[in-house]
Structure formats: structure tokens, C-alpha cells
Amino acid sequence: MPKHSPSSLNPRSPLVLDTRDLPRRPGALRTVKRVVPAPADLGVELIGVPEGADLDLDLRLESVSEGVLVSGTITGPVKGECGRCLREINDSVVVNVQELYAYENSTTDTTTDEDEVGRMQDDLIDLEPALRDAVVLTLPTNPLCREDCPGLCPECGVHWDDLPADHSHQQIDPRWAGLSQLTRKEE
């Protein structure tokens, strides 16, 4: 048995791909198009894919000498809040995935570290780790509702967009208040 022993995969899990009908001859390929529910905690602190949201998988499984190369795109909705003004963000994300899943007992067991290449378990591929890596690395750690979001006034917490242009919280030191009267008379 190899040095790694992954937990048993459920072939009925939506993010587990069954490759039994994919010949193990290099160049053989199969496409997979399906909609699956998003797993929990797919995102970062301020933005992510809601659990159970529809993820569109458009994948290509290709036999190579050491295993199966999975490549394609995954599309899904993202929800979160702006890092400047805390407004809700509703958007979508499209990520590219390309991951090699090595056959059990292939030469990759001796030529690569365990975490460098995905491993197949029997004829099953667990797509969730590659999906999670691709989506989480694509999402911004400080998302914005729009590129020029001005944020909130640090004094009163109101959106800058909702405040008049001359909004200010300037406080005059009472000891200098008399001088401010002089500048007003000159104007």
C-alpha cells in the first residue's frame, strides 16, 4: 500500500468524478458538464460562494501516462460585503482548473511528494480540494463593491456617497475659536 491512504471516497458525491469509463490509454478523453452544489466554507472572510449554490462544472478528463489530467472551468455565484463600505456584493466567479490525478502505484508515488499531485482512489477523483484551491485563490481578500468605492466617513459611519461634498467633522479648539471669527470677517 502507498505511503498515503486517503479516506474512502463516496462515488455519489457531486464533486467525486468516476473515471471507470475513461480508458487508461494516453490521449483518451471525456468531458464532464454538470451542476453541483457548492461545499461549505468556500471562500475567504468577506466573500465566498454560498453553501449549496449551483456550481457549473465544464471539465475535460484526459488520460495521460501517469494518471488523469482534469482541466476546465468552474463557474458560480459569490456573495460578500465590500471591504470599504460594507455594502452587499453579489457577483460571479469563473475559475480555471488544471490538476493531474495520479493512478495508484504509479511512478509519481516515488517521484513526487504526496501533496504535489492529486491521487486517484480506485477509479475515483476527489475534485473538491482543487476546486477549493482555485476558488479561494481567485477571490479578493479585500473585495470592493466598485473600484472607486469611497467607503465610510470614519467619524459618523455614513457612506461617503450619501454625504454632501462639504461634509466635515472638524472641531475647533475652544481656545482658538476667536481666531476663526477673524477669518470669517475677511471672507
Side-chain angles (χ1 to χ4, degrees), residues 19 31 69 106 108 171:
T19 63
T31 59
L69 180 66
S106 68
T108 57
Q171 295 179 354

Side-chain angles (χ1 to χ4, degrees), residues 98-119:
Q98 185 168 9
E99 185 84 18
L100 173 65
Y101 292 88
Y103 295 129
E104 290 182 89
N105 302 319
S106 68
T107 57
T108 57
D109 285 341
T110 57
T111 60
T112 62
D113 289 334
E114 186 175 345
D115 58 349
E116 283 184 76
V117 174
R119 308 288 176 179

